[in-house]
Amino acid sequence: QVKLVESGGGLVQSGGSLRLSCAASGFTFSWFAMNWYRQAPGKERELVATITNDNRSSTYADSVKGRFTISRDNAKNEVYLQMNNLKPEDTAVYYCHAMIIDSWGQGAQVTVSS
């Protein structure tokens, strides 16, 4: 059973930081690129960041570039999203996603107050 479980969400003031974690199981984690998506209330799902299977390359949405960093630890089957200088517009449910397998986590709520 493929499973992705996010953790690390919460409430933070504008300018603060959070780190999301996603624990993966049920597949060969190191073979697959991973994504972080987010969805704000009333908005469409947005791709936030992508990382290659070998942790060598990452890409970001323009809205988070320079503030967010995606990384992974293949030995632990985990992918992370470090979020710095958070803004109220970052408020959303953040989802971990495995490419090709197309598996989703349950989501982690991130709320940024002004």
Side-chain angles (χ1 to χ4, degrees):
Q1 176 90 354
V2 173
K3 186 167 71 174
L4 300 172
V5 180
E6 301 96 335
S7 62
L11 174 64
V12 66
Q13 282 191 311
S14 180
S17 298
L18 287 172
R19 191 177 86 148
L20 301 179
S21 298
C22 173
S25 61
F27 65 102
T28 306
F29 179 74
S30 63
W31 289 2
F32 298 94
M34 298 293 295
N35 300 317
W36 284 98
Y37 285 85
R38 68 185 182 187
Q39 188 165 28
K43 303 294 184 180
E44 293 187 348
R45 184 187 63 192
E46 175 188 19
L47 177 62
V48 175
T50 298
I51 190 165
T52 57
N53 67 306
D54 58 5
N55 203 22
R56 291 185 179 181
S57 182
S58 58
T59 57
Y60 301 89
D62 287 343
S63 58
V64 307
K65 196 171 298 181
R67 300 187 297 119
F68 289 13
T69 302
I70 188 172
S71 61
R72 67 193 294 161
D73 187 337
N74 285 344
K76 296 181 178 180
N77 288 354
E78 293 183 342
V79 62
Y80 312 99
L81 186 67
Q82 178 67 46
M83 303 181 291
N84 297 327
N85 192 23
L86 283 160
K87 304 175 180 180
E89 52 264 42
D90 295 319
T91 295
V93 177
Y94 285 72
Y95 297 93
C96 180
H97 174 256
M99 297 190 70
I100 305 300
I101 295 175
D102 195 26
S103 183
W104 296 86
Q106 82 286 354
Q109 177 68 52
V110 172
T111 302
V112 185
S113 62
S114 59

